[in-house]
């Protein structure tokens, strides 16, 4: 599937019309900076672009909370910074609550609230 189709799929499964799913997917792909890559397949996208598609796909049905588990764990440092910035831009633009699970202390330091776990317990 293309990036656009990948983002549309959860919306279609939720019962939305094809046009509504397409409109929302295009809106989100623009919001994550991929308006020029919508027709590309995953193998034609960089790791950072693939991560942006995944973020758009996670947001397409307007969840109350977006859970991100190690969202930048496999990205290079430059791309990692871009994705960190994107999360906080989306939070502002969409009013989105985002819960991030990470070992990345730099990312954790950017968050409004940080909880630390040790041996399965919050400390």
């Amino acid at each position: 599937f293309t990036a656009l189709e990948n983002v549309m799929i959860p919306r279609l499964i939720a019962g939305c019309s094809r046009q509504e799913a397409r409109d929302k997917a295009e809106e989100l792909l623009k919001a994550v900076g991929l308006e020029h890559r919508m027709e590309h397949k995953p193998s034609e996208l960089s790791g950072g672009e693939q991560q942006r598609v995944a973020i758009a796909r996670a947001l397409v049905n307007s969840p109350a909370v977006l859970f991100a588990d190690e969202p930048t764990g496999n990205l290079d440092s430059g791309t990692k910074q871009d994705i960190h910035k994107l999360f906080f831009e989306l939070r502002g633009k969409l009013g989105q609550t985002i819960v991030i699970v990470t070992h990345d202390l730099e990312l954790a330091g950017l968050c409004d609230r940080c909880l630390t776990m040790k041996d399965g317990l919050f400390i």
Side-chain angles (χ1 to χ4, degrees), residues 92-109:
K93 269 190 216 173
L94 305 176
Q96 182 68 51
T97 299
I98 304 171
V99 175
I100 301 171
V101 177
T102 187
H103 290 93
D104 185 333
L105 297 179
E106 181 182 345
L107 175 56

Side-chain angles (χ1 to χ4, degrees), residues 65-113:
V65 178
L66 173 65
F67 290 93
D69 185 7
E70 294 291 356
T72 57
N74 62 345
L75 302 175
D76 64 75
S77 60
T79 304
K80 181 169 73 165
Q81 295 294 328
D82 293 341
I83 298 296
H84 291 178
K85 182 179 173 189
L86 176 62
F87 275 122
F88 295 99
E89 287 173 1
L90 291 172
R91 177 190 65 182
K93 269 190 216 173
L94 305 176
Q96 182 68 51
T97 299
I98 304 171
V99 175
I100 301 171
V101 177
T102 187
H103 290 93
D104 185 333
L105 297 179
E106 181 182 345
L107 175 56
L110 297 171
C111 296
D112 297 329
R113 184 170 180 205

Side-chain angles (χ1 to χ4, degrees), residues 5 9 14 19 21 27 32-34 39-40 53-54 58 60-61 66 71-72 75 85 89 97 101-102 110-111 118 123:
E5 291 166 334
I9 289 170
Q19 188 59 52
E27 172 191 329
V32 299
L34 290 178
E39 296 303 324
H40 288 77
V53 170
V60 77
N61 284 325
L66 173 65
T72 57
L75 302 175
K85 182 179 173 189
E89 287 173 1
T97 299
V101 177
T102 187
L110 297 171
C111 296
K118 183 175 181 180
I123 56 172

Side-chain angles (χ1 to χ4, degrees), residues 11-25:
R11 196 99 176 136
L12 293 169
I13 291 169
C16 293
S17 72
R18 185 162 180 77
Q19 188 59 52
E20 184 183 355
R22 182 181 189 87
D23 291 346
K24 182 72 172 180

